[in-house]
Amino acid sequence: MRKIALLVCLALVSLNLLAQDTLRLKGLKKPVEIIKDQWGIAHIYAQNEEDLFFAQGYSAASDRLFQFEMWRRQATGTVAEVLGAKDIKRDIGTRLFKFRGDIEQELNHYHPRGAIIVKSFVRGINAYIDEILKTPEKLPFEFSVLDIKPKPWTPDVVISRHQGLLSNVQSELNYGRLVHLLGAEKVKDILNFHPGDPNISLDKNINGELLFQNILELYDAFRKPLNFTKEEVKTSFLENTIDDSRFTGSNNWVIGGKISQSGFPMLANDPHRAQNTPALRYWCHLNAPGWNVVGGGEPTIPGISIGHNDYGAWGLTIFQTDNEDLYIYDANPKNPNQYRYKGIWENLKIITDTIKVLNAEPVVVQLKYTRHGPVVFEDDKNHKLFGVRAGWLEAGCSPYLASLRMNQAKSWEEFREACSFSRIPGENMIWADRKGTIGWQAVGISPVRPNWTGLVPVTGDGRYEWAGYLNIKQLPNQSNPAGNYIITANNNLTPENFPYRNAIGWEWASPYRAHRIEEVLGSGKRQTMTDFMQLQNDYMSLAARNFVPLLIGITSKDKDTEKARKLLLDWDFNMKPESIPATIYLEWSELMEQGLIKLIVPENARTYIKYLSTTKMVDWLISGRKEFGKNPVVGRDEFMINCLDKAVENIKKRLGNDINDWQYGQLKNKHISITHPMSTLVNADMKDKINVGPFIRGGNGETVNSTGDNLNQSHGASFRIIVDTKDWDNTLGNNSPGQSGNPDSPHYKDLIDLWAKGQYFPVYFSKKKIKDVAEQTLILKP
């Protein structure tokens, strides 16, 4: 495997040569020092809590101002005001699902002084906005393209749920459609629900035909990424891939001191999300009385989601909780604003709202609610209403904000207590501390369903009601296991005897990433920081290790296919960039997936099944299903070799006839190019400035270094952290493409070269070390 190098900073910058600025701002109580290091991380030193979070808001806004403005507009349902009529439904959806509870109670859920912290953070954001508007010509270029200026924040923007990792209700609707088309048992045969055997039958009072309408249009609209098109921009600036979102996941693991070289617990985390510019996450270091924490989080949220303090380190991956349900109601034929509940007509709650639209008249809308939540679709012809019950509309469900409590945890017990306030998203939280404890606690708001699984739509007539929520500490957890490691990679970790099965999910990532990590950590070798770096960047495919041996004893009449088959059988299953078999394997496995869909999924259901569980595919190919023909083994072999013939044909068209030119990582094959969302709207010089890449890549969606199955990587780990609790100054990290969202900043894309090479920068914690690599110091004064 390609050696993973650590970036070592030997050239220390003289403190006397550092740029130092002083700025006076209203809203501060005492001076704050912000030291920005060579990698763009702001290390903030404040004398009190309020000034600390004021400075975090100020610093993050200064690096990501356009990202902040778009977040604010998405959170407040004011996107159509700048992007036009195409985003009216987005704004309706946002307002329909807006949190409307007590804001003070909401803010104080996340921390005993949550309201003070969030309001201080917001004041800091607004202080930067006020400052930059004194020189509007210095605004990032996107503001000129859209001809807008940033507007002030309020605390309700911070607690918006619009970017939470939710969306179970979308799967629920599709499963309902599939059950109607195929029957429950056929759906369970094709899909990979586990552990256990869930009941996914539709209630006899539900007409399955009605599920094929565009029921979740408003829900989908406010969750989708922003799309900038020419109609919304000033003319002076003017001049494809498959859906890879199923690989949104993460890896994390902790090991005890008994298997680490240092003798202390270690932690690694690399959350996988869409690859964008600017980066999703933002590194920061917060230091004030009672606070000393460094790590990453979304820049629009105060605190640190993933990182360490003086006592312990923590990380996260997605854990499947099911906190959404789709309800179908009978509407009153005589009054469409009433629905039947327990035999009685109840009135909808209706809120009238007005949406401003670019170059058009404002649109007046009615937002309707049942006792369970927002009405997302009205079927007037059949007198039906469709509503979403979302646990995340409860208080305390702003994504990641409860990490404020985690930031001050001093022990596993305190960390686990902090976890009990973390309701969205469902996460596997892991912990490692200097005293030797490692632990795992699943978190997430989890409604208890007494009489159904939550996998398909149900009637809203009162027969399907939640029986409250699980206490988060009742979710699966573990500490100091005998094996001295804990691994989570979005795989199933639910105990077979878990008593609240209908409160959590039934679908999990394939186990291959987790098994590969376990293979390495369980090898008996004491682990080092270098080992952890290599493992986070590991391209070994255990899925390929299952698929490829099935080609033994099968031959093709095509000599190039035979050559490809032999290369696969001689392969070590490492999808490194220089590998030729990796190119063949990816094309072959994708063709087998599409072929199995055609073979096993009835044609009328293929719209709702775009991909298959790798685990199921392996099982089907090993066992030989009846769909392969009278002799399933012979039919299976013909199927696999035909897919390999086609794979070779496709690769020839893309990379040429010479098999020696089929290296996996190359610009014609596996690579990454990150395109700025406004790339098509600017001139060539600006396009070169704002787009990132290309860089060659390896791996796929099933490797630890998850790069998805698109040839142009669209998802994966942009943020990584590795911690040895023996010495906090030994922490390593990266963040692609850079800390800043402003292409005029040297930190806009300065980190992606390190990231693409599997390298890291040091994340120093002691002030002396930080000063050694300081780039700039800013003193904020009252």
Side-chain angles (χ1 to χ4, degrees):
M1 178 178 181
R2 178 168 48 94
K3 185 177 180 181
I4 310 296
L6 166 64
L7 175 69
V8 180
C9 246
L10 299 177
L12 302 181
V13 181
S14 169
L15 294 179
N16 295 327
L17 299 178
L18 289 178
Q20 180 165 318
D21 297 306
T22 300
L23 185 65
R24 293 194 177 274
L25 295 172
K26 293 180 180 179
L28 283 174
K29 293 181 176 180
K30 292 186 177 182
V32 176
E33 181 183 29
I34 303 177
I35 302 175
K36 185 161 284 190
D37 68 25
Q38 295 174 8
W39 303 279
I41 300 178
H43 301 263
I44 302 171
Y45 296 87
Q47 299 177 50
N48 59 75
E49 185 174 84
E50 289 184 56
D51 288 348
L52 179 68
F53 289 100
F54 178 102
Q56 186 186 13
Y58 184 93
S59 176
S62 70
D63 278 325
R64 303 286 186 92
L65 187 59
F66 185 69
Q67 189 178 16
F68 269 70
E69 176 61 12
M70 290 299 101
W71 175 287
R72 186 191 67 79
R73 289 192 173 275
Q74 288 177 273
T76 56
T78 54
V79 175
E81 187 176 345
V82 295
L83 297 188
K86 70 180 179 63
D87 279 292
I88 291 173
K89 288 178 180 176
R90 175 195 298 278
D91 287 350
I92 295 173
T94 299
R95 296 177 191 214
L96 193 60
F97 283 91
K98 179 181 178 180
F99 175 75
R100 298 182 182 276
D102 183 301
I103 189 68
E104 293 292 317
Q105 178 188 2
E106 163 76 1
L107 296 177
N108 286 323
H109 171 90
Y110 306 109
H111 190 276
R113 298 178 300 282
I116 294 172
I117 290 171
V118 172
K119 290 175 183 178
S120 297
F121 183 76
V122 167
R123 284 200 308 273
I125 296 168
N126 291 337
Y128 180 74
I129 292 172
D130 290 343
E131 191 70 24
I132 193 68
L133 287 179
K134 295 175 183 176
T135 54
E137 69 277 5
K138 295 181 180 179
L139 285 167
F141 84 98
E142 295 99 332
F143 289 97
S144 295
V145 173
L146 295 180
D147 194 20
I148 62 173
K149 290 183 171 60
K151 292 186 177 181
W153 275 47
T154 53
D156 62 305
V157 176
V158 176
I159 56 90
S160 171
R161 282 81 156 135
H162 72 276
Q163 283 193 228
L165 293 177
L166 310 165
S167 307
N168 164 265
V169 72
Q170 295 165 317
S171 298
E172 195 172 307
L173 177 58
N174 278 341
Y175 298 153
R177 291 165 170 168
L178 287 168
V179 169
H180 175 74
L181 292 172
L182 306 179
E185 293 309 309
K186 180 64 174 177
V187 174
K188 288 193 287 186
D189 175 47
I190 297 171
L191 302 180
N192 191 26
F193 299 120
H194 65 288
D197 182 24
N199 178 6
I200 60 172
S201 299
L202 286 172
D203 186 285
K204 58 182 175 55
N205 291 326
I206 291 178
N207 179 356
E209 292 290 340
L210 303 184
L211 298 177
F212 294 86
Q213 303 174 87
N214 197 3
I215 292 166
L216 293 177
E217 182 179 22
L218 294 177
Y219 178 98
D220 294 339
F222 91 95
R223 303 297 313 287
K224 66 183 180 183
L226 292 171
N227 178 33
F228 300 95
T229 55
K230 293 183 179 181
E231 289 76 11
E232 294 95 34
V233 304
K234 294 163 64 177
T235 56
S236 61
F237 279 85
L238 293 180
E239 202 184 26
N240 240 334
T241 58
I242 62 172
D243 176 15
D244 213 23
S245 60
R246 60 174 161 144
F247 297 115
T248 296
S250 308
N251 305 308
N252 67 25
W253 61 88
V254 283
I255 65 172
K258 291 182 179 179
I259 61 171
S260 74
Q261 188 66 48
S262 70
F264 285 76
M266 295 173 63
L267 173 146
N269 193 191
D270 55 303
H272 307 161
R273 297 284 292 276
Q275 298 285 344
N276 289 322
T277 181
L280 171 69
R281 289 186 168 87
Y282 180 76
W283 281 89
C284 192
H285 181 186
L286 305 174
N287 185 292
W291 298 86
N292 193 18
V293 55
V294 68
E298 296 187 18
T300 50
I301 300 170
I304 302 298
S305 302
I306 303 165
H308 73 80
N309 57 22
D310 288 302
Y311 305 93
W314 58 91
L316 53 83
T317 67
I318 290 297
F319 177 85
Q320 296 292 342
T321 57
D322 180 355
N323 51 61
E324 296 177 324
D325 278 317
L326 182 62
Y327 284 91
I328 305 171
Y329 306 87
D330 290 326
N332 188 345
K334 297 179 180 179
N335 182 354
N337 289 327
Q338 289 184 328
Y339 65 99
R340 188 182 298 279
Y341 182 78
K342 292 188 175 180
I344 299 172
W345 294 117
E346 288 197 358
N347 292 322
L348 292 171
K349 178 183 177 182
I350 301 175
I351 298 174
T352 300
D353 207 345
T354 302
I355 296 172
K356 293 181 180 179
V357 185
L358 179 71
N359 298 326
E361 291 298 313
V363 176
V364 178
V365 297
Q366 287 192 325
L367 311 176
K368 299 182 178 182
Y369 301 84
T370 70
R371 60 169 47 230
H372 298 122
V375 174
V376 292
F377 187 76
E378 298 180 63
D379 181 352
D380 296 330
K381 179 182 176 181
N382 295 290
H383 307 297
K384 299 289 184 183
L385 300 175
F386 294 80
V388 173
R389 186 170 190 181
W392 47 269
L393 286 176
E394 298 279 2
C397 289
S398 180
Y400 306 111
L401 196 48
S403 60
L404 285 167
R405 291 179 182 265
M406 301 176 197
N407 294 176
Q408 293 184 297
K410 297 179 180 180
S411 65
W412 166 241
E413 292 74 21
E414 288 188 14
F415 181 76
R416 199 165 167 237
E417 179 62 24
C419 284
S420 69
F421 291 86
S422 186
R423 309 186 86 180
I424 290 292
E427 299 279 12
N428 294 290
M429 301 301 307
I430 58 169
W431 167 269
D433 64 38
R434 299 193 71 178
K435 292 182 179 179
T437 297
I438 60 173
W440 159 60
Q441 175 67 60
V443 306
I445 188 168
S446 305
V448 178
R449 298 174 179 85
N451 59 325
W452 84 106
T453 59
L455 284 170
V456 294
V458 292
T459 60
D461 56 13
R463 292 182 294 120
Y464 296 94
E465 293 295 328
W466 294 353
Y469 301 102
L470 284 186
N471 182 302
I472 286 175
K473 289 184 179 180
Q474 292 177 286
L475 288 169
N477 60 86
Q478 187 181 34
S479 63
N480 295 326
N484 290 295
Y485 58 78
I486 299 171
I487 299 162
T488 84
N490 318 115
N491 54 309
N492 172 46
L493 295 169
T494 308
E496 290 289 342
N497 60 348
F498 185 68
Y500 305 103
R501 193 63 196 83
N502 291 341
I504 61 176
W506 294 86
E507 289 182 291
W508 309 88
S510 296
Y512 299 110
R513 283 186 287 122
H515 288 171
R516 173 57 180 165
I517 297 167
E518 185 173 20
E519 186 174 83
V520 173
L521 299 185
S523 65
K525 177 182 182 297
R526 282 188 173 268
Q527 298 293 305
T528 66
M529 296 290 278
T530 301
D531 294 326
F532 273 28
M533 286 190 286
Q534 290 177 331
L535 186 50
Q536 282 191 335
N537 289 276
D538 186 83
Y539 286 141
M540 182 65 68
S541 173
L542 299 199
R545 196 186 288 174
N546 279 272
F547 278 122
V548 170
L550 295 172
L551 289 171
I552 295 173
I554 308 174
T555 58
S556 171
K557 296 178 181 178
D558 184 275
K559 61 180 177 57
D560 288 333
T561 300
E562 263 303 283
K563 190 173 183 180
R565 185 182 72 89
K566 290 176 180 177
L567 281 173
L568 285 174
L569 290 173
D570 289 338
W571 182 34
D572 63 359
F573 312 116
N574 195 322
M575 299 185 74
K576 53 192 175 184
E578 58 268 32
S579 171
I580 290 172
T583 299
I584 301 166
Y585 167 72
L586 183 66
E587 190 74 29
W588 176 58
S589 62
E590 287 187 346
L591 286 170
M592 286 201 296
E593 180 177 33
Q594 295 309 309
L596 288 170
I597 288 174
K598 290 181 180 178
L599 189 67
I600 293 171
V601 180
E603 186 175 0
N604 64 343
R606 291 174 195 161
T607 300
Y608 308 105
I609 299 179
K610 298 294 187 183
Y611 57 86
L612 299 170
S613 158
T614 310
T615 306
K616 282 266 185 175
M617 289 171 57
V618 170
D619 289 346
W620 293 344
L621 290 171
I622 290 175
S623 62
R625 288 178 61 106
K626 65 180 185 333
E627 287 89 349
F628 287 118
K630 291 183 179 179
N631 188 329
V633 174
V634 172
R636 174 204 62 193
D637 291 352
E638 290 177 354
F639 168 82
M640 289 192 298
I641 206 68
N642 287 340
C643 288
L644 188 57
D645 284 334
K646 181 63 176 175
V648 170
E649 181 183 334
N650 289 351
I651 297 168
K652 284 180 179 179
K653 291 177 181 177
R654 187 168 69 251
L655 301 179
N657 291 329
D658 188 346
I659 203 166
N660 295 313
D661 293 333
W662 292 4
Q663 289 83 10
Y664 188 55
Q666 56 174 297
L667 302 188
K668 293 181 182 179
N669 207 58
K670 191 68 174 186
H671 69 286
I672 185 169
S673 294
I674 303 176
T675 303
H676 190 284
M678 288 189 178
S679 177
T680 60
L681 311 178
V682 297
N683 59 39
D685 288 342
M686 181 59 81
K687 186 180 296 187
D688 289 341
K689 189 174 184 178
I690 64 178
N691 288 343
V692 180
F695 296 90
I696 63 170
R697 305 297 287 144
N700 73 344
E702 302 281 16
T703 54
V704 175
N705 188 357
S706 176
T707 58
D709 284 353
N710 283 341
L711 292 181
N712 182 10
Q713 180 184 347
S714 61
H715 286 70
S718 60
F719 171 96
R720 290 191 174 100
I721 186 171
I722 300 173
V723 182
D724 186 340
T725 62
K726 179 181 180 181
D727 186 348
W728 302 125
D729 279 329
N730 285 343
T731 298
L732 302 174
N734 56 31
N735 195 31
S736 168
Q739 279 282 96
S740 176
N742 186 345
D744 290 331
S745 167
H747 298 296
Y748 176 68
K749 52 183 176 181
D750 60 321
L751 299 179
I752 192 166
D753 187 58
L754 289 176
W755 173 87
K757 293 175 181 176
Q759 298 176 348
Y760 296 70
F761 55 81
V763 183
Y764 291 133
F765 198 53
S766 64
K767 196 167 186 179
K768 181 182 182 301
K769 288 271 193 179
I770 291 163
K771 285 185 174 181
D772 286 343
V773 294
E775 176 181 85
Q776 181 183 30
T777 298
L778 175 64
I779 306 297
L780 304 180
K781 291 186 174 181

